[in-house]
Amino acid sequence: MAFYVYILKCSDGSYYTGHTDNLEARLEGHNRGEVSGHTFSRRPVSLVFSDQFFTREEAFQRERQIKGWSRAKKEALIEGSWKTLVQLSRGRKDRT
């Protein structure tokens, strides 16, 4: 069984990060309003990023990591801009 971490873009432009073992069903659940919380009043949502893991724990740990990131860092991940992601991961004084 595979597990996924995912990022949704909400109708208000905000991002939501979660994890699941059924990505398609979870996306549909968010859009039908079956998932309470952040996305409920910000529908429709669209999937902008996902990554696959072998265990639920790995996916959950990655979700927690991404949730702690800035919007700019999340957008670099979504865009696949590894150079920007690395730069944003450095401390402010190291970003030269």
Side-chain angles (χ1 to χ4, degrees):
M1 175 178 274
F3 299 90
Y4 304 88
V5 64
Y6 61 91
I7 301 176
L8 304 177
K9 186 167 188 178
C10 301
S11 63
D12 67 354
S14 64
Y15 293 113
Y16 173 82
T17 305
H19 77 281
T20 186
D21 61 359
N22 188 332
L23 193 54
E24 186 176 312
R26 182 59 58 93
L27 179 58
E28 289 174 14
H30 278 287
N31 275 318
R32 286 194 303 256
E34 296 170 355
V35 180
S36 63
H38 183 82
T39 61
F40 186 81
S41 63
R42 294 171 172 90
R43 295 176 281 150
V45 299
S46 58
L47 181 67
V48 293
F49 175 83
S50 68
D51 199 3
Q52 187 174 338
F53 296 88
F54 291 109
T55 68
R56 184 176 301 277
E57 182 61 28
E58 289 173 311
F60 178 70
Q61 288 175 359
R62 184 67 162 151
E63 173 191 351
R64 301 307 302 165
Q65 179 185 37
I66 293 170
K67 281 187 172 184
W69 287 0
S70 67
R71 181 180 181 86
K73 202 167 173 182
K74 289 175 189 174
E75 289 177 341
L77 177 67
I78 291 164
E79 295 166 4
S81 179
W82 307 120
K83 182 178 178 181
T84 302
L85 190 58
V86 168
Q87 289 173 337
L88 292 169
S89 296
R90 295 182 181 147
R92 286 182 183 244
K93 67 180 185 175
D94 297 332
R95 288 188 200 162
T96 57

